[in-house]
Amino acid sequence: DAGVTQTPRHEVAEKGQTIILKCEPVSGHNDLFWYRQTKIQGLELLSYFRSKSLMEDGGAFKDRFKAEMLNSSFSTLKIQPTEPKDSAVYLCASSPPGQYEQYFGPGTRLTVL
Amino acid sequence: AQRVTQVQPTGSSQWGEEVTLDCSYETSEYFYRIFWYRQLFSGEMVFLIYQPSFDTQNQRSGRYSVVFQKSFKSISLVISASQPEDSGTYFCALSELIFGGYKLTFGTGTSLLVDP
């Protein structure tokens, strides 16, 4: 089975741009998570979907971050407008039904200039 | 509020040694799970093992095992016969039930270097 895939692997954006990160969960998994990882804050949950329904929309991130899951095999994370402080690694993870362990994608490293 | 603490920012060992990484946590939930992940230098996070709170037996998976001290709210990951390929950052994570699902709270990680 293919693991979680994320594209692009690297993204460089100018301040104020809109960027869209993509994630494909493992086939058959019904939980999908978006995280942001920085050295200072560590891993922070941005959004959580269960069976395509938004379960958690990380409070501090609601302003410029919007995650969507239009079908069970694809999710996007839009950051609009980007700011330099958004520079981080964005990780997507999925989890199978009835299980708690999460399987992570390789991440997208975002640099905002 | 949940909190996960990993007080060792770094660790090291020699090839073949046993390594212990510590984690403590705070939770008000009765049922919970604690997970260990390893982040490779590439950035990929790999699931290693988990311990359910309701299981008094320490879990084991291959060379990984845990020492679960529920009353102290602490859990240690033990890696037997460490190898250079075990180098990476190890994260402890605690599950929290939320309406209709769950989420994980991660510690800050322990960076391990295994010398050949």
Side-chain angles (χ1 to χ4, degrees):
Chain A
D1 277 343
V4 176
T5 59
Q6 290 188 248
T7 55
R9 293 296 309 278
H10 301 273
E11 177 81 60
V12 179
E14 298 282 339
K15 178 183 172 183
Q17 270 188 282
T18 295
I19 63 105
I20 297 176
L21 309 182
K22 305 177 181 71
C23 173
E24 295 178 33
V26 175
S27 177
H29 286 193
N30 66 340
D31 282 338
L32 184 139
F33 304 83
W34 282 100
Y35 292 92
R36 183 172 78 172
Q37 185 178 27
T38 60
K39 284 202 186 316
I40 295 174
Q41 299 292 338
L43 276 145
E44 302 170 283
L45 180 67
L46 300 174
S47 292
Y48 163 34
F49 293 89
R50 168 161 285 190
S51 300
K52 301 185 295 178
S53 297
L54 184 63
M55 307 298 290
E56 175 98 356
D57 189 1
F61 298 98
K62 282 182 183 177
D63 189 24
R64 297 178 296 105
F65 293 72
K66 184 176 175 63
E68 291 186 315
M69 193 162 189
L70 299 180
N71 63 58
S72 61
S73 59
F74 186 70
S75 177
T76 59
L77 175 67
K78 180 192 287 188
I79 308 176
Q80 177 184 36
T82 52
E83 298 182 5
K85 65 181 179 181
D86 299 332
S87 297
V89 175
Y90 290 82
L91 293 165
C92 177
S94 68
S95 187
Q99 306 295 321
Y100 280 66
E101 61 268 27
Q102 297 179 14
Y103 296 89
F104 284 77
T108 295
R109 182 173 294 278
L110 172 66
T111 302
V112 182
L113 305 175
Chain B
Q2 306 222 123
R3 180 179 293 192
V4 177
T5 303
Q6 294 179 256
V7 295
Q8 307 156 286
T10 60
S12 63
S13 76
Q14 299 291 324
W15 197 340
E17 287 183 341
E18 182 177 274
V19 176
T20 299
L21 305 176
D22 300 321
C23 172
S24 61
Y25 58 91
E26 296 173 23
T27 183
S28 56
E29 298 189 4
Y30 189 77
F31 294 113
Y32 53 89
R33 290 167 171 80
I34 304 164
F35 298 80
W36 282 94
Y37 286 85
R38 177 165 70 103
Q39 188 165 39
L40 311 181
F41 295 123
S42 65
E44 183 183 355
M45 293 276 278
V46 178
F47 165 69
L48 300 176
I49 192 171
Y50 84 92
Q51 175 74 45
S53 63
F54 51 80
D55 194 338
T56 56
Q57 269 205 317
N58 291 324
Q59 300 301 297
R60 176 178 291 276
S61 177
R63 293 188 297 111
Y64 303 108
S65 62
V66 299
V67 176
F68 181 43
Q69 298 181 289
K70 186 176 179 178
S71 59
F72 293 107
K73 288 192 167 60
S74 77
I75 185 167
S76 298
L77 174 70
V78 180
I79 308 172
S80 62
S82 61
Q83 304 166 4
E85 306 89 89
D86 295 327
S87 297
T89 303
Y90 288 77
F91 290 92
C92 176
L94 174 67
S95 67
E96 174 186 357
L97 289 178
I98 60 175
F99 179 72
Y102 78 101
K103 65 180 183 180
L104 295 181
T105 300
F106 286 82
T108 50
T110 297
S111 182
L112 175 68
L113 183 63
V114 180
D115 289 328

